[in-house]
Short mmCIF file of all heavy atoms in Angstrom, two decimals:
data_model
loop_
_atom_site.label_atom_id
_atom_site.label_comp_id
_atom_site.label_asym_id
_atom_site.label_seq_id
_atom_site.Cartn_x
_atom_site.Cartn_y
_atom_site.Cartn_z
N VAL A 47 -10.16 12.32 14.69
CA VAL A 47 -8.82 11.92 15.15
C VAL A 47 -7.98 13.11 15.59
O VAL A 47 -6.82 12.95 15.98
CB VAL A 47 -8.07 11.12 14.04
CG1 VAL A 47 -8.84 9.86 13.70
CG2 VAL A 47 -7.81 11.97 12.81
N GLY A 48 -8.56 14.30 15.55
CA GLY A 48 -7.88 15.48 16.08
C GLY A 48 -6.85 16.10 15.18
O GLY A 48 -5.88 16.72 15.66
N LEU A 49 -7.04 16.00 13.86
CA LEU A 49 -6.10 16.59 12.90
C LEU A 49 -6.69 17.87 12.31
O LEU A 49 -7.85 17.89 11.89
CB LEU A 49 -5.78 15.60 11.78
CG LEU A 49 -5.04 14.33 12.19
CD1 LEU A 49 -4.80 13.45 10.96
CD2 LEU A 49 -3.72 14.64 12.88
N SER A 50 -5.89 18.90 12.25
CA SER A 50 -6.35 20.19 11.73
C SER A 50 -6.18 20.26 10.21
O SER A 50 -5.10 19.96 9.69
CB SER A 50 -5.55 21.33 12.37
OG SER A 50 -5.80 22.55 11.70
N PRO A 51 -7.22 20.71 9.49
CA PRO A 51 -7.08 20.91 8.04
C PRO A 51 -6.01 21.93 7.68
O PRO A 51 -5.47 21.90 6.58
CB PRO A 51 -8.47 21.40 7.61
CG PRO A 51 -9.39 20.96 8.68
CD PRO A 51 -8.59 20.98 9.95
N LEU A 52 -5.70 22.82 8.61
CA LEU A 52 -4.71 23.85 8.33
C LEU A 52 -3.30 23.29 8.26
O LEU A 52 -2.40 23.95 7.73
CB LEU A 52 -4.78 24.95 9.39
CG LEU A 52 -6.12 25.68 9.50
CD1 LEU A 52 -6.03 26.79 10.54
CD2 LEU A 52 -6.54 26.25 8.16
N LYS A 53 -3.08 22.09 8.80
CA LYS A 53 -1.74 21.48 8.78
C LYS A 53 -1.54 20.53 7.61
O LYS A 53 -0.47 19.93 7.49
CB LYS A 53 -1.50 20.75 10.10
CG LYS A 53 -1.41 21.70 11.29
CD LYS A 53 -1.11 20.95 12.59
CE LYS A 53 -0.99 21.92 13.76
NZ LYS A 53 -0.71 21.22 15.04
N ILE A 54 -2.55 20.39 6.76
CA ILE A 54 -2.42 19.52 5.59
C ILE A 54 -1.58 20.23 4.54
O ILE A 54 -1.93 21.32 4.07
CB ILE A 54 -3.81 19.15 5.02
CG1 ILE A 54 -4.60 18.34 6.04
CG2 ILE A 54 -3.66 18.36 3.72
CD1 ILE A 54 -6.04 18.09 5.63
N ARG A 55 -0.48 19.62 4.16
CA ARG A 55 0.44 20.24 3.18
C ARG A 55 0.08 19.82 1.77
O ARG A 55 0.15 20.63 0.84
CB ARG A 55 1.87 19.82 3.51
CG ARG A 55 2.93 20.52 2.66
CD ARG A 55 3.17 21.93 3.15
NE ARG A 55 4.14 22.63 2.32
CZ ARG A 55 5.47 22.47 2.43
NH1 ARG A 55 5.98 21.64 3.34
NH2 ARG A 55 6.28 23.16 1.66
N PHE A 56 -0.28 18.55 1.59
CA PHE A 56 -0.60 18.06 0.25
C PHE A 56 -1.72 17.04 0.31
O PHE A 56 -1.97 16.41 1.33
CB PHE A 56 0.63 17.44 -0.43
CG PHE A 56 1.11 16.16 0.20
CD1 PHE A 56 0.59 14.93 -0.18
CD2 PHE A 56 2.09 16.18 1.19
CE1 PHE A 56 1.03 13.75 0.41
CE2 PHE A 56 2.53 15.01 1.79
CZ PHE A 56 2.00 13.80 1.40
N VAL A 57 -2.42 16.92 -0.83
CA VAL A 57 -3.43 15.88 -1.01
C VAL A 57 -3.07 15.14 -2.30
O VAL A 57 -2.98 15.76 -3.37
CB VAL A 57 -4.85 16.46 -1.13
CG1 VAL A 57 -5.87 15.34 -1.28
CG2 VAL A 57 -5.18 17.33 0.08
N ALA A 58 -2.85 13.84 -2.21
CA ALA A 58 -2.52 13.02 -3.37
C ALA A 58 -3.73 12.15 -3.71
O ALA A 58 -4.12 11.29 -2.92
CB ALA A 58 -1.30 12.16 -3.09
N ILE A 59 -4.32 12.39 -4.87
CA ILE A 59 -5.52 11.67 -5.31
C ILE A 59 -5.11 10.58 -6.29
O ILE A 59 -4.39 10.85 -7.28
CB ILE A 59 -6.52 12.63 -5.98
CG1 ILE A 59 -6.89 13.77 -5.02
CG2 ILE A 59 -7.76 11.87 -6.46
CD1 ILE A 59 -7.66 13.35 -3.81
N THR A 60 -5.59 9.36 -6.07
CA THR A 60 -5.20 8.25 -6.95
C THR A 60 -5.92 8.29 -8.29
O THR A 60 -5.31 8.04 -9.33
CB THR A 60 -5.47 6.90 -6.28
OG1 THR A 60 -6.86 6.82 -5.90
CG2 THR A 60 -4.59 6.72 -5.05
N HIS A 61 -7.23 8.60 -8.29
CA HIS A 61 -7.99 8.60 -9.53
C HIS A 61 -9.33 9.29 -9.30
O HIS A 61 -9.68 9.66 -8.17
CB HIS A 61 -8.18 7.18 -10.07
CG HIS A 61 -9.00 6.29 -9.21
ND1 HIS A 61 -8.62 5.91 -7.94
CD2 HIS A 61 -10.21 5.69 -9.42
CE1 HIS A 61 -9.53 5.11 -7.41
NE2 HIS A 61 -10.52 4.97 -8.29
N LEU A 62 -10.07 9.45 -10.38
CA LEU A 62 -11.26 10.30 -10.33
C LEU A 62 -12.56 9.51 -10.25
O LEU A 62 -13.57 9.91 -10.81
CB LEU A 62 -11.27 11.25 -11.53
CG LEU A 62 -10.08 12.21 -11.53
CD1 LEU A 62 -10.19 13.20 -12.67
CD2 LEU A 62 -9.97 12.95 -10.19
N HIS A 63 -12.57 8.40 -9.53
CA HIS A 63 -13.81 7.81 -9.07
C HIS A 63 -14.20 8.53 -7.78
O HIS A 63 -13.36 8.79 -6.92
CB HIS A 63 -13.66 6.31 -8.84
CG HIS A 63 -13.70 5.52 -10.11
ND1 HIS A 63 -13.17 4.25 -10.23
CD2 HIS A 63 -14.22 5.82 -11.34
CE1 HIS A 63 -13.35 3.80 -11.47
NE2 HIS A 63 -13.97 4.72 -12.15
N GLY A 64 -15.49 8.85 -7.65
CA GLY A 64 -15.94 9.75 -6.61
C GLY A 64 -15.57 9.36 -5.21
O GLY A 64 -15.34 10.23 -4.35
N ASP A 65 -15.50 8.05 -4.93
CA ASP A 65 -15.21 7.63 -3.56
C ASP A 65 -13.77 7.93 -3.14
O ASP A 65 -13.40 7.71 -1.98
CB ASP A 65 -15.52 6.14 -3.37
CG ASP A 65 -14.81 5.22 -4.35
OD1 ASP A 65 -14.79 5.54 -5.55
OD2 ASP A 65 -14.28 4.18 -3.93
N HIS A 66 -12.97 8.47 -4.07
CA HIS A 66 -11.58 8.79 -3.74
C HIS A 66 -11.27 10.29 -3.73
O HIS A 66 -10.19 10.67 -3.29
CB HIS A 66 -10.63 8.07 -4.70
CG HIS A 66 -10.61 6.59 -4.51
ND1 HIS A 66 -9.61 5.93 -3.83
CD2 HIS A 66 -11.50 5.63 -4.87
CE1 HIS A 66 -9.88 4.63 -3.80
NE2 HIS A 66 -11.03 4.43 -4.43
N PHE A 67 -12.22 11.12 -4.20
CA PHE A 67 -11.90 12.55 -4.22
C PHE A 67 -13.03 13.49 -3.81
O PHE A 67 -12.79 14.68 -3.57
CB PHE A 67 -11.42 12.96 -5.63
CG PHE A 67 -12.53 13.22 -6.60
CD1 PHE A 67 -13.10 14.48 -6.71
CD2 PHE A 67 -13.01 12.20 -7.40
CE1 PHE A 67 -14.14 14.71 -7.61
CE2 PHE A 67 -14.04 12.42 -8.29
CZ PHE A 67 -14.60 13.69 -8.39
N ILE A 68 -14.26 13.00 -3.68
CA ILE A 68 -15.39 13.89 -3.42
C ILE A 68 -15.21 14.70 -2.13
O ILE A 68 -15.65 15.84 -2.02
CB ILE A 68 -16.71 13.10 -3.38
CG1 ILE A 68 -17.11 12.64 -4.79
CG2 ILE A 68 -17.83 13.90 -2.76
CD1 ILE A 68 -17.45 13.78 -5.74
N GLY A 69 -14.54 14.14 -1.15
CA GLY A 69 -14.32 14.86 0.11
C GLY A 69 -13.41 16.07 -0.01
O GLY A 69 -13.36 16.90 0.90
N LEU A 70 -12.68 16.18 -1.13
CA LEU A 70 -11.77 17.31 -1.31
C LEU A 70 -12.51 18.63 -1.39
O LEU A 70 -12.05 19.64 -0.84
CB LEU A 70 -10.92 17.09 -2.57
CG LEU A 70 -9.97 18.23 -2.95
CD1 LEU A 70 -8.91 18.44 -1.88
CD2 LEU A 70 -9.31 17.94 -4.31
N LEU A 71 -13.65 18.65 -2.06
CA LEU A 71 -14.35 19.91 -2.31
C LEU A 71 -14.83 20.58 -1.03
O LEU A 71 -14.52 21.75 -0.79
CB LEU A 71 -15.50 19.67 -3.29
CG LEU A 71 -15.07 19.01 -4.62
CD1 LEU A 71 -16.28 18.74 -5.51
CD2 LEU A 71 -14.04 19.85 -5.35
N PRO A 72 -15.55 19.88 -0.15
CA PRO A 72 -15.91 20.53 1.11
C PRO A 72 -14.72 20.81 2.02
O PRO A 72 -14.75 21.76 2.81
CB PRO A 72 -16.89 19.54 1.77
CG PRO A 72 -16.62 18.23 1.11
CD PRO A 72 -16.18 18.55 -0.27
N LEU A 73 -13.67 20.02 1.90
CA LEU A 73 -12.47 20.27 2.70
C LEU A 73 -11.84 21.61 2.32
O LEU A 73 -11.42 22.39 3.18
CB LEU A 73 -11.45 19.14 2.50
CG LEU A 73 -10.14 19.26 3.28
CD1 LEU A 73 -10.38 19.28 4.78
CD2 LEU A 73 -9.19 18.12 2.90
N LEU A 74 -11.80 21.92 1.02
CA LEU A 74 -11.27 23.20 0.57
C LEU A 74 -12.10 24.35 1.13
O LEU A 74 -11.55 25.38 1.56
CB LEU A 74 -11.27 23.27 -0.96
CG LEU A 74 -10.38 22.27 -1.70
CD1 LEU A 74 -10.54 22.45 -3.21
CD2 LEU A 74 -8.92 22.43 -1.30
N GLN A 75 -13.40 24.18 1.15
CA GLN A 75 -14.28 25.22 1.68
C GLN A 75 -14.01 25.45 3.17
O GLN A 75 -13.94 26.58 3.64
CB GLN A 75 -15.73 24.83 1.45
CG GLN A 75 -16.74 25.88 1.91
CD GLN A 75 -18.14 25.55 1.42
OE1 GLN A 75 -18.46 25.69 0.25
NE2 GLN A 75 -18.97 25.10 2.34
N SER A 76 -13.86 24.35 3.91
CA SER A 76 -13.61 24.47 5.35
C SER A 76 -12.26 25.14 5.62
O SER A 76 -12.12 25.91 6.58
CB SER A 76 -13.65 23.09 6.02
OG SER A 76 -14.96 22.57 5.99
N MET A 77 -11.27 24.83 4.80
CA MET A 77 -9.97 25.47 4.97
C MET A 77 -10.09 26.99 4.88
O MET A 77 -9.43 27.73 5.62
CB MET A 77 -8.98 24.94 3.94
CG MET A 77 -8.51 23.52 4.19
SD MET A 77 -7.44 22.94 2.85
CE MET A 77 -6.83 21.40 3.54
N THR A 78 -10.93 27.48 3.96
CA THR A 78 -11.15 28.92 3.84
C THR A 78 -11.88 29.46 5.06
O THR A 78 -11.56 30.54 5.58
CB THR A 78 -11.93 29.23 2.56
OG1 THR A 78 -11.11 28.94 1.43
CG2 THR A 78 -12.33 30.70 2.50
N LEU A 79 -12.89 28.71 5.55
CA LEU A 79 -13.61 29.14 6.74
C LEU A 79 -12.68 29.28 7.94
O LEU A 79 -12.90 30.10 8.83
CB LEU A 79 -14.74 28.15 7.06
CG LEU A 79 -15.88 28.09 6.04
CD1 LEU A 79 -16.86 26.99 6.40
CD2 LEU A 79 -16.59 29.44 5.95
N PHE A 80 -11.60 28.46 7.96
CA PHE A 80 -10.61 28.53 9.04
C PHE A 80 -9.48 29.51 8.70
O PHE A 80 -8.47 29.56 9.40
CB PHE A 80 -10.01 27.14 9.30
CG PHE A 80 -10.99 26.14 9.81
CD1 PHE A 80 -10.88 24.80 9.48
CD2 PHE A 80 -12.05 26.52 10.63
CE1 PHE A 80 -11.79 23.85 9.95
CE2 PHE A 80 -12.95 25.59 11.11
CZ PHE A 80 -12.83 24.26 10.77
N SER A 81 -9.65 30.28 7.61
CA SER A 81 -8.71 31.34 7.21
C SER A 81 -7.32 30.81 6.87
O SER A 81 -6.30 31.42 7.20
CB SER A 81 -8.60 32.41 8.32
OG SER A 81 -9.87 32.97 8.58
N ARG A 82 -7.28 29.69 6.19
CA ARG A 82 -5.99 29.15 5.76
C ARG A 82 -5.29 30.15 4.83
O ARG A 82 -5.93 30.76 3.95
CB ARG A 82 -6.21 27.82 5.02
CG ARG A 82 -4.90 27.18 4.56
CD ARG A 82 -5.13 25.98 3.66
NE ARG A 82 -3.88 25.42 3.21
CZ ARG A 82 -3.33 24.30 3.68
NH1 ARG A 82 -3.97 23.60 4.61
NH2 ARG A 82 -2.17 23.86 3.23
#
Side-chain angles (χ1 to χ4, degrees):
V47 299
L49 295 180
S50 170
L52 300 183
K53 293 182 179 179
I54 296 172
R55 186 78 182 280
F56 68 87
V57 182
I59 303 293
T60 56
H61 65 296
L62 297 185
H63 282 158
D65 56 315
H66 291 259
F67 82 88
I68 288 294
L70 176 64
L71 305 177
L73 180 61
L74 296 178
Q75 183 169 287
S76 292
M77 287 176 171
T78 292
L79 293 175
F80 296 147
S81 301
R82 181 189 179 104

